[in-house]
Amino acid sequence: MSINRVIISGNLTRDPELRSTAGGTSVLGFGVAVNDRRKNQQTGEWEDYPNFIDCTMFGARADALNKYLSKGTKVTIEGKLRWSQWERDGQKRSKIEVIVDELEFMSSRNSDAQYSSGQGYGQQGGYQPAPQASYQPQSAPTIDASSSVYDEDIPF
């Protein structure tokens, strides 16, 4: 048995590119930079080394998310790895990319503070705080001992 699942979190390295297959299926391509921390052997300091991951999403979700993604957007994606190989100018080339199944926004376009309070899709292509349900605790109703509820005969 083998498992092909990957979860990465990082920032988009470029604006997404939306295109379509000959059959009309939407294909959204974008890149995500994911940092790897390593200790520099010469200085002893920890340093970030970026990994640049190509990502592809298909279908109606690709159309819908294209409006909300842009370079720098922080996201977490879940998907599977796909290796592809081709030849260009007599040279064999290959790459590994993530086929995205799920995408979660980790920050809004406006500020990280808004995201922490909960986000919803806005009408203007950005994120607006989702309406917050306000919960007001209700005091328990008071029952007057002289109320007719106590005066009624209740069969047991």
Side-chain angles (χ1 to χ4, degrees), residues 2-156:
S2 61
I3 298 172
N4 184 2
R5 296 303 298 163
V6 62
I7 298 172
I8 62 173
S9 179
N11 294 1
L12 267 63
T13 59
R14 63 184 185 273
D15 287 337
E17 300 170 16
L18 184 64
R19 50 189 201 282
S20 296
T21 64
T25 301
S26 295
V27 180
L28 186 66
F30 55 93
V32 176
V34 180
N35 285 335
D36 185 21
R37 291 189 59 85
R38 292 186 234 158
K39 196 170 195 176
N40 184 319
Q41 296 301 320
Q42 295 173 344
T43 65
E45 298 291 320
W46 287 94
E47 297 178 352
D48 287 335
Y49 291 90
N51 293 296
F52 300 101
I53 311 297
D54 289 329
C55 302
T56 304
M57 180 180 267
F58 296 95
R61 289 189 308 158
D63 280 325
L65 287 173
N66 183 46
K67 297 179 239 179
Y68 302 103
L69 294 171
S70 62
K71 181 178 179 178
T73 303
K74 186 165 183 67
V75 296
T76 295
I77 62 171
E78 181 178 346
K80 60 186 173 190
L81 296 175
R82 181 175 72 180
W83 180 73
S84 54
Q85 182 178 10
W86 67 97
E87 191 170 316
R88 183 187 306 165
D89 301 328
Q91 297 257 331
K92 284 191 175 186
R93 300 187 181 255
S94 66
K95 74 173 181 176
I96 293 180
E97 65 183 327
V98 175
I99 303 302
V100 179
D101 294 325
E102 303 291 331
L103 184 146
E104 182 177 339
F105 291 89
M106 301 306 292
S107 65
S108 69
R109 288 184 181 181
N110 299 331
S111 74
D112 291 342
Q114 282 185 341
Y115 183 80
S116 64
S117 67
Q119 291 295 315
Y121 291 106
Q123 296 292 332
Q124 300 164 354
Y127 286 93
Q128 303 297 324
Q132 300 292 318
S134 71
Y135 172 74
Q136 297 290 332
Q138 303 270 329
S139 59
T142 57
I143 298 176
D144 183 7
S146 64
S147 169
S148 64
V149 171
Y150 291 99
D151 293 339
E152 294 179 15
D153 290 330
I154 301 175
F156 291 100

